[in-house]
Amino acid sequence: MERLIPPTPSLKGTLRVPGDKSVTHRGLMLGALAQGESTLYYPLKAGDTLSTAQVMRQLGAEIAEQGEHFHIKGVGLRLQEPTDVLDCGNAGTLMRLVAGLLSGQEIFTVLTGDASLRRRPMGRVTTPLRQMGARIEGREGGKLAPLAIRGGGLRGIHYELPVASAQVKSAVLLAGLFAEEDTEVVEPAPTRDHTERVFRHYGLPIELEGNLIRTRRAEPFAARDLIVPGDFSSAAFFIVAALITPESDITLEGVGLNPTRTGLLTVLKEMGANLSWEVTEGQDGEPVGSIRARSSRLKGVSVDPRLIPLMVDEVPVLAAAAAWAEGETYIPNLEELRVKESDRVAAIAHNLQNLGVPVEVGHDWLKVRGGSVQSGVVEPFHDHRIAMAFAVCGLPKGVVVQDAEWASISFPSFWEELERLTGKV
Ligand code: S3P
């Protein structure tokens, strides 16, 4: 489906973004593992997380939609052997985290996904999970899905993550809940810490010592309700849209402001953004608050490479902001973006060029020269965040977005909300 967005004069109003994707995946998995019934409040109901609900149902949990929420009846640590393969769709977080869970279970499972997910690197999780004792087979020696897993009999390991990845960290920690002896993960740089926070919420073992995270075998644990905050990564599209569109002033409410997610706010501030935010409450271990964004004159910056793991999913929309900034923006440390839902370094460069923006590309960096955005066509490369980021980039001049339905992987109401805030409905 193609979407034509006419030139937009302004964005105004208040928005509540959908539930956080990362927290929803974890809430569904741990609610399914818990003993008894609980409600996951305000979860994200989108392509990726509906895949997780379906996979956890196949593993024996009862998950029912209850209005906006999910009612979950957990299995009490013992998952059931599914009668069919588990389809993770487009969701890397699902495949990698559930591989950790399944490594701890004495059942046979096969994980597959869509064409994009079957291209993404899985060796980063199969290597440590095999070290813990899981038997895992997969294409190219276990580097690519489909993956066949027979778990059980795990021992704890001390694992130094070769990449700063919350998914790999989480896979090892989830397996650690079923291992003899302690499991320790050392991060090369901080990444999103939702797994640690959710473990604490359920009373599961978790200890932090600097960049080392430790867990151990879990006893059956009681189900507990969990409130999902709004997704900062979804909010990011509207923040940048308001900054680059004249006469704009929007407020986002109920947004997760976990500091391991908000690196983009630091960079946008440095670019001169008229942006303020405030943490107003702590919801089940996650800071939540509101963000106000107004039209701004942005200037190019050189982004601190240490911020990238704290804004890994926001780089496409940062590139959109850079396209409107005065001068050059240099974005380093992008190696991981090559293996996301698409090769995001290439997809960003391609779409910037489509919109008339000069860009230089290295293997792990981008240099964007701002100030010359024209109307054009956006090609999402089957990637939800590329579709939304470049719809935003083209907003002030008007833009055509191909395959716009990809937004529904993480933000099904994106186009309607955009129309509402731009006054087009
Ligand atoms: C996620 C971790 C990140 C992020 C992804 C969600 C998570 O992936 O890009 O969208 O929920 O743990 P990596 O661990 O590959 O950086």
Side-chain angles (χ1 to χ4, degrees), residues 3-314:
R3 265 207 180 240
L4 173 75
I5 304 177
T8 295
S10 70
L11 273 87
K12 290 229 156 68
T14 300
L15 170 67
R16 211 163 247 280
V17 288
D20 188 276
K21 182 154 79 69
S22 292
V23 177
T24 302
H25 283 304
R26 287 156 174 83
L28 284 166
M29 287 182 199
L30 288 171
L33 265 193
Q35 198 152 36
E37 299 183 31
S38 61
T39 302
L40 186 64
Y41 287 102
Y42 308 105
L44 173 68
K45 289 190 180 173
D48 271 11
T49 49
L50 293 176
S51 294
T52 297
Q54 187 50 31
V55 163
M56 297 319 293
R57 284 187 192 109
Q58 281 179 266
L59 291 166
E62 286 174 35
I63 301 176
E65 302 215 11
Q66 198 176 60
E68 279 183 71
H69 317 302
F70 278 126
H71 185 77
I72 307 174
K73 194 166 169 195
V75 297
L77 281 188
R78 266 176 178 260
L79 297 168
Q80 172 187 304
E81 188 166 85
T83 54
D84 203 349
V85 301
L86 301 171
D87 186 355
C88 300
N90 192 242
T93 308
L94 167 56
M95 184 172 283
R96 295 193 178 116
L97 269 59
V98 91
L101 270 188
L102 295 170
S103 292
Q105 303 277 327
E106 286 175 14
I107 57 176
F108 173 75
T109 47
V110 178
L111 296 173
T112 190
D114 71 6
S116 146
L117 190 51
R118 281 180 280 114
R119 276 194 297 271
R120 295 181 66 187
M122 292 298 146
R124 54 181 59 197
V125 288
T126 57
T127 299
L129 295 173
R130 280 170 169 166
Q131 281 174 21
M132 295 176 82
R135 281 164 289 166
I136 308 181
E137 291 296 332
R139 286 193 300 133
E140 294 192 14
K143 291 201 186 98
L144 295 173
L147 300 174
I149 303 179
R150 183 172 287 283
L154 299 190
R155 54 193 169 269
I157 54 169
H158 173 92
Y159 194 64
E160 314 243 343
L161 290 180
V163 281
S165 162
Q167 293 179 355
V168 181
K169 165 176 71 174
S170 303
V172 176
L173 292 174
L174 286 166
L177 296 177
F178 304 94
E180 296 299 337
E181 302 119 27
D182 289 1
T183 295
E184 294 179 344
V185 182
V186 178
E187 294 193 282
T191 64
R192 66 188 65 194
D193 63 358
H194 302 300
T195 300
E196 296 89 310
R197 289 174 191 254
V198 172
F199 272 29
R200 220 172 281 127
H201 178 74
Y202 286 99
L204 291 167
I206 189 88
E207 287 164 22
L208 310 180
E209 275 171 33
N211 58 351
L212 182 146
I213 305 136
R214 184 181 301 114
T215 191
R216 65 181 62 90
R217 179 184 282 285
E219 298 300 325
F221 61 100
R224 227 186 134 184
D225 294 347
L226 180 69
I227 304 173
V228 180
D231 198 325
F232 180 81
S233 297
S234 297
F237 300 113
F238 284 92
I239 294 171
V240 171
L243 299 181
I244 64 174
T245 311
E247 313 287 326
S248 296
D249 186 352
I250 66 163
T251 302
L252 297 130
E253 288 175 344
V255 186
L257 288 169
N258 180 323
T260 60
R261 292 287 298 281
T262 54
L264 179 72
L265 296 177
T266 311
V267 177
L268 291 174
K269 269 300 216 192
E270 208 186 315
M271 294 173 82
N274 192 346
L275 189 59
S276 57
W277 61 94
E278 187 192 6
V279 174
T280 50
E281 52 188 316
Q283 257 174 14
D284 293 346
E286 292 282 349
V288 175
S290 58
I291 304 172
R292 183 172 178 196
R294 284 174 275 182
S295 318
S296 306
R297 286 173 68 95
L298 300 177
K299 59 179 193 311
V301 292
S302 180
V303 178
D304 181 343
R306 290 170 301 183
L307 285 173
I308 297 296
L310 308 178
M311 53 177 293
V312 64
D313 292 337
E314 286 68 68

